[in-house]
Amino acid sequence: MSATCVIGLQWGDEAKGKLVDLLTEHHDIVVRYQGGANAGHTVVAGDQTYKLSLIPSGILNPRVVSVVTGGVVLNPPSILGEIDQLVSRGVQVTSNLMLSDRAHVIFPWHISEDRAMDGSVSGGEAIGTTQRGIGPCYRDKVGRAHAIRLGDFYRPDFRDKIVHIAAAKNRMLPVWAGPDAAPLDGDAIYNEYRVYGERLKPFVADTTAYLLNAVESGKRLLFEGAQGALLDIDHGTFPYVTSSNSSGVGVSSGSGVPARWITKIIGVVKAYNTRVGGGPFPTEQNNEIGQHIRDKGNEYGTVTRRPRRCGWFDVVAARYTSRLSGVDVLAIMLMDVLSELPTIQVCTAYEIDGKRVTDFPSQLEDLRRAKPVYESLPGWQTEITGVRKYADLPPNARAYLARLSELVGRPVDVVSVGPDRSQTIWAKNG
Ligand code: GDP
Ligand code: IMO
Ligand code: MG
């Protein structure tokens, strides 16, 4: 039995998709267990680039089963669009995809609410959500009264549920979005979503039962995290977070697979930090260094194409999130992006009101005041995209990796030097 988890330790986009794709061949089942179509995971295989959002990156391997569990919020037109895209490119999407009947479904009202509410966080700065309806759908899940799960699509009262909720939302939406908010037509929504439901039906199952049977019979599971641990609703930089448990703590709640089955947790980081959307980012380089990283790393959001904010590697944050997520080993991605820089800074502590702090602050206002304390390391200023063995990396690149490993407190298992599958260094291969 084995279950491996791939967890982003920063603010998302750590190249989890690339790693999951690489690890898929050693597993039987790949599982997405939280988040929704806010995620954008890129897999580059030769001349083909795949952008996956709701479907696990494991889908590219027809031998494995890809499972979307009840912890995910599902947008039917998004997932159908993704399935159609994959099929049109020759990827098999048949009984190798399973969707949980417990998954909560995003409806048009969630997207309207997301648009209307994003800017109204107390304190002023917008969260800068992906506007995919994620927060409002999770809110309705927790609130229970206005929630619809995928399994409800196949019950006789599905139409009544939609009409009832649309009527309630029509009373609330003008309050949030203003009197001009377009009213929702419950019957029209029912007719549209009924058709989505028919198309999705072959994939719908009780994935909790399936996964429990799978682990108990020795199948190898790979859990694909979405977002990153700093965006975790409970443990991240609240309220500038997403609405699910995106750190390692979310694997069991999102999938229904108890933590006792998990044998390895891989924490994925970039060799630097990025963030999309609002909220504090102590090591942000809103200057030519940030722009250099953005250009070299093509740091533009996969889902929204927004420029990602870029900055130096933050050890305070990564040490916190690797401990929080129970990380065994690190995967350090996008190393090649730093190759031209003569000096690289690493944030080893914060200074808050004159005090040196190494525990990640729980309060946003403290994080806003945190001044990074940097350690400077010499760059390697050598092209590394063709390197395939750890020993062949330039000495300064190895020294940088060793220092990150030492500071975060975890060994490095994987180093990525380019987007392609082949541009990967496995520490075990020397
Ligand atoms: P995810 O959301 O964590 O799966 O990450 P994204 O796919 O949103 O963002 C990572 C981006 O970096 C993608 O465009 C990848 O193709 C790309 N990428 C992955 N690894 C590397 C690498 O080692 N070097 C470079 N330059 N790009 C990489
Ligand atoms: P992957 O899986 C980076 C960010 C948004 C916003 C905040 C809340 O590709 O790493 P939401 O739409 O979830 O309510 O937005 O979270 N965000 C991400 N940032 N990568 C992601 O996913 C993200 N998913 C959400 O930019 O700041
Ligand atoms: Mg992404």
Side-chain angles (χ1 to χ4, degrees), residues 220-297:
R220 299 161 303 170
L221 268 57
L222 177 60
F223 289 98
E224 175 175 6
Q227 291 82 52
L230 294 172
L231 289 170
D232 187 291
I233 182 74
D234 291 307
H235 306 285
T237 52
F238 190 87
Y240 297 95
V241 293
T242 191
S243 299
S244 61
N245 285 119
S246 49
S247 69
V249 305
V251 176
S252 292
S253 61
S255 68
V257 176
R260 67 192 295 262
W261 294 106
I262 296 170
T263 44
K264 186 169 186 180
I265 303 180
I266 305 176
V268 192
V269 291
K270 289 181 187 187
Y272 48 93
N273 267 68
T274 63
R275 173 163 210 171
V276 203
F281 178 0
T283 62
E284 181 169 15
Q285 297 299 300
N286 197 4
N287 53 31
E288 66 286 358
I289 290 171
Q291 189 58 46
H292 175 81
I293 294 175
R294 189 175 303 113
D295 291 343
K296 289 278 150 212

Side-chain angles (χ1 to χ4, degrees), residues 141-192:
K141 166 180 172 170
V142 178
R144 294 154 299 168
H146 297 144
I148 297 183
R149 306 199 297 177
L150 193 52
D152 295 329
F153 278 51
Y154 312 105
R155 297 176 55 85
D157 60 353
F158 180 45
R159 181 187 167 278
D160 293 348
K161 257 197 161 99
I162 290 195
V163 170
H164 169 78
I165 295 173
K169 295 285 181 182
N170 275 336
R171 292 192 292 277
M172 293 187 266
L173 257 179
V175 179
W176 293 330
D180 298 334
L184 299 157
D185 178 342
D187 270 313
I189 295 171
Y190 165 70
N191 285 323
E192 184 183 341

